Amino acid sequence: MLQLDRKGLLDKAAWEAAGIELPKYDLELVAHNTRVRPQWVHFGAGNIFRGFVANAQQQLLNSLKADTGIIAAETFDFEMIDKAYKPYDNLTLLVLMSADGKFHKSVVASIVESLATEQNRRLDDYLRLLEVFENPTLQMASFTVTEKGYGLTGPDGKYLAVVERDLVNGPEQPVHVMSIATSLAYRRYLKGQHPMTLVSMDNCSHNGDLLKDSMIAIAKEWTCRGLVEKGFADYLQNEEKITFPLTMIDKITPRPSLQIQSALRELGLADMEIVVTSRHTYTAPFVNAEVSEYLVIEDKFTNGRPALEEAGIIFTNRDTVDKVEKMKVTTCLNPLHTALALSGCLLGYQLIADEMNDYTLRRLVETIGNKEGLPVVVDPGIIQPQAFINEVLQERFANPYIPDTPQRIATDTSQKMSIRFGETIKSYVSTAGLDPTDLTAIPLTIAIWCRYLLGVDDQGTPFTLSPDPLLDTLQGYLQDTKLGDQTSGVRNLLEDEKLFGVRLYEIGLGDKIEAMFHEMLSGPGAVRSTIEKYVN
């Protein structure tokens, strides 16, 4: 049996026979270099980090364009370190899955240390983090902690309880990830105000600004309470010392696949167990991911950086990063994903890839992207929008080996509507020669969302809606609406400008969406027949 650990890698012939690529560098030397002159810490030990970011550094190590690895730090789900990192000597088995069924398998060894910030590990892991941040050689700390990881306040605008405790306790015993990052930056400040760059790689708008605003807010609170030196907040805002670049990341790294687990076991790999942690993280010693990947970073570093452009990562200016994000989020990917998610939930689909074999649903997303989105797309210049859409539709969404579900993508839809659809609608309003009332697939998708909120599928069977912070409010608009009704409270929902970023009735789309919604209420099968009517 093949064992995924440092000792197991010594049997190179067996790994080669299994078709699994091994690292091409001296693992012990890289580990030593990283310990004495660390350059890169990453917060958030999840799949996109292991399957994308760490693999990029692995490519540099393989080509001898880097000689240090990454230190992974987990601030939330500490079982990740205990169950997916430590037992395997921080190695990851990466399986890249093409739509044509070809798998590329490799062992990623660029993560050379894994640390948890849990309070009872402070004497070991946290002290190591302090040591790393005090070292002048540290170039950057990157983050994949999800958009929620940057939030300091709740819906009421008040600090979260965990953040409030951190603000009272100061930099000595932080718990929230933003407090931890700020505390470590303070130690670097005290040690000599060394420069470094903090890089959010999360899939959210203006991620670098979110990270910067949160860390500076904490620093200022600590300053006001006399818990840190007065110059610390200025240090974080001095762009000769500290920068927070914008980035755009795009790669699907879903939950571990049972199909991949089975295939790896057949190759003779031991201990390929899929683990669900107590915090509901799905993890395994392997990561399965799509081949396509994009990471665009604002090239604004103060203490040097890895040569990640050699691994396909794009460094550019701030304006171009912003344009790439807008292209993806408002036109070429995210609106299509949401349309498939909502319609898939109503039509009984469990996989996004299966929906792409449904002629009607494929036509729906092709219309949103190619016909309605492209006329107002933001072209970043470095990625061609039409080629990006083609890859999304032909390779990425249609990949049967990516076990991504409509139910996952439908999460938090209320937070996405104004960006994924509202921006395109606004562009139609403001662009000469375009009329928002000419749109069909986008208003249809909004109507599908309203129908989805009833929690009843196209056959009339109740189903569980995906989590959404506004779910109670949204369902309240439709609480008296049933299949077969000709009237409903949907107008009140559609008049909520905050949801859509635009006044739908004033621009002539409200009545159109309302009519589509009522068509889908007529009875079982009405969702499909309505979509077919408008897109075929």
Side-chain angles (χ1 to χ4, degrees):
M1 298 291 287
L2 293 171
Q3 194 70 40
L4 187 64
D5 55 28
R6 294 292 182 94
K7 183 178 179 180
L9 294 190
L10 296 176
D11 189 358
K12 294 183 178 180
W15 289 90
E16 183 179 343
I20 300 172
E21 181 181 327
L22 294 182
K24 298 178 174 65
Y25 49 91
D26 185 331
L27 273 62
E28 295 303 324
L29 177 60
V30 169
H32 169 76
N33 292 342
T34 306
R35 177 156 288 279
V36 298
R37 48 181 177 85
Q39 294 181 312
W40 186 353
V41 173
H42 183 88
F43 292 93
N47 287 342
I48 196 164
F49 164 60
R50 297 163 70 203
F52 184 4
V53 180
N55 191 44
Q57 182 70 356
Q58 167 111 332
Q59 293 177 54
L60 299 189
L61 289 166
N62 279 340
S63 60
L64 303 181
K65 291 172 180 171
D67 64 358
T68 61
I70 306 174
I71 300 165
E74 180 56 39
T75 62
F76 176 73
D77 196 337
F78 308 118
E79 289 177 64
M80 284 284 297
I81 300 299
D82 296 332
K83 296 179 178 179
Y85 280 76
K86 298 290 190 185
Y88 306 96
D89 293 339
N90 302 318
L91 303 174
T92 297
L93 184 58
L94 175 60
V95 183
L96 298 178
M97 306 176 294
S98 299
D100 62 6
K102 294 179 180 177
F103 294 175
H104 179 266
K105 302 175 290 295
S106 61
V107 174
V108 176
S110 60
I111 305 167
V112 297
E113 297 178 54
S114 56
L115 309 172
T117 62
E118 194 173 15
Q119 291 294 310
N120 62 13
R121 309 189 203 202
R122 293 186 65 82
L123 291 179
D124 298 313
D125 290 11
Y126 198 73
L127 288 179
R128 171 57 179 158
L129 275 175
L130 290 176
E131 179 182 84
V132 168
F133 269 77
E134 290 176 346
N135 196 317
T137 64
L138 183 63
Q139 295 180 329
M140 75 168 173
S142 53
F143 298 76
T144 51
V145 294
T146 77
E147 187 168 3
K148 294 177 183 177
Y150 305 99
L152 303 181
T153 58
D156 57 2
K158 297 179 180 179
Y159 283 120
L160 300 170
V162 62
V163 174
E164 185 60 50
R165 287 194 296 271
D166 286 344
L167 296 179
V168 171
N169 294 334
E172 297 306 315
Q173 293 185 321
V175 175
H176 190 278
V177 59
M178 292 295 99
S179 308
I180 291 168
T182 309
S183 168
L184 292 166
Y186 184 55
R187 290 298 288 255
R188 191 168 182 82
Y189 164 81
L190 292 175
K191 199 68 176 179
Q193 299 186 34
H194 302 307
M196 71 173 296
T197 296
L198 298 116
V199 186
S200 170
M201 295 180 178
D202 275 297
N203 184 19
C204 51
S205 180
H206 285 225
N207 46 20
D209 293 342
L210 294 178
L211 174 59
K212 179 180 181 178
D213 292 347
S214 294
M215 290 184 63
I216 289 174
I218 292 169
K220 288 182 175 179
E221 286 281 358
W222 283 344
T223 302
C224 290
R225 299 168 195 236
L227 298 170
V228 298
E229 292 184 4
K230 291 183 179 180
F232 176 48
D234 292 334
Y235 164 71
L236 290 181
Q237 296 174 90
N238 180 356
E239 292 198 342
E240 293 183 359
K241 297 286 188 178
I242 304 293
T243 51
F244 300 85
L246 299 186
T247 71
M248 190 289 294
I249 193 166
D250 182 24
K251 186 179 182 72
I252 299 173
T253 51
R255 292 175 176 177
S257 163
L258 290 171
Q259 181 182 6
I260 296 299
Q261 180 192 50
S262 177
L264 295 176
R265 284 174 169 170
E266 289 180 9
L267 289 174
L269 278 132
D271 301 327
M272 291 290 109
E273 296 303 317
I274 296 174
V275 174
V276 183
T277 71
S278 59
R279 293 199 168 185
H280 309 294
T281 301
Y282 285 73
T283 188
F286 63 91
V287 172
N288 42 251
E290 66 173 343
V291 174
S292 299
E293 57 189 25
Y294 297 88
L295 178 54
V296 183
I297 303 177
E298 180 185 1
D299 199 357
K300 196 175 184 180
F301 289 74
T302 59
N303 197 32
R305 61 167 175 79
L308 291 168
E309 64 271 21
E310 301 289 340
I313 289 171
I314 300 171
F315 289 90
T316 185
N317 57 58
R318 182 181 182 90
D319 184 56
T320 302
V321 176
D322 198 38
K323 287 180 178 178
V324 172
E325 184 207 350
K326 287 180 179 177
M327 179 200 75
K328 167 183 173 265
V329 172
T330 67
T331 309
C332 295
L333 190 150
N334 294 33
L336 286 59
H337 229 175
T338 293
L340 287 174
L342 300 171
S343 55
C345 289
L346 286 170
L347 298 178
Y349 282 101
Q350 299 298 315
L351 289 175
I352 293 289
D354 289 342
E355 291 188 70
M356 294 303 291
N357 294 321
D358 184 318
Y359 176 78
T360 298
L361 298 186
R362 176 180 276 274
R363 283 281 296 159
L364 173 65
V365 293
E366 286 175 345
T367 304
I368 293 172
N370 291 325
K371 184 177 179 181
E372 299 184 350
L374 279 180
V376 294
V377 71
V378 175
D379 187 345
I382 59 172
I383 300 173
Q384 207 276 323
Q386 182 67 72
F388 189 88
I389 289 179
N390 291 344
E391 183 184 37
V392 164
L393 295 174
Q394 296 165 19
E395 166 72 24
R396 302 180 66 185
F397 287 176
N399 190 335
Y401 302 99
I402 299 296
D404 213 0
T405 67
Q407 293 73 25
R408 183 185 78 84
I409 304 299
T411 300
D412 297 341
T413 299
S414 69
Q415 310 301 294
K416 304 169 182 175
M417 275 283 158
S418 64
I419 300 298
R420 298 188 178 190
F421 301 104
E423 288 301 311
T424 295
I425 293 171
K426 284 193 285 188
S427 294
Y428 270 74
V429 173
S430 62
T431 303
L434 295 177
D435 184 344
T437 61
D438 290 335
L439 294 169
T440 298
I442 287 176
L444 177 61
T445 300
I446 296 173
I448 291 170
W449 179 49
C450 297
R451 173 64 179 79
Y452 161 89
L453 289 169
L454 296 182
V456 178
D457 68 19
D458 198 27
Q459 301 305 311
T461 304
F463 68 92
T464 301
L465 297 174
S466 300
D468 190 302
L470 296 182
L471 204 54
D472 290 343
T473 300
L474 297 168
Q475 290 197 295
Y477 288 130
L478 302 169
Q479 60 184 345
D480 297 323
T481 303
K482 305 279 190 304
L483 291 189
D485 289 350
Q486 294 303 307
T487 59
S488 71
V490 74
R491 185 183 183 97
N492 293 328
L493 191 159
L494 295 175
E495 286 180 333
D496 190 337
E497 185 181 358
K498 290 181 180 179
L499 287 175
F500 305 102
V502 63
R503 296 181 184 274
L504 293 172
Y505 285 90
E506 286 187 9
I507 61 173
L509 278 182
D511 290 324
K512 185 173 188 175
I513 296 168
E514 196 172 334
M516 291 171 165
F517 171 74
H518 285 121
E519 286 184 62
M520 286 186 274
L521 278 184
S522 62
V527 173
R528 175 168 288 282
S529 63
T530 302
I531 299 173
E532 288 176 347
K533 171 184 172 181
Y534 287 103
V535 303
N536 289 342

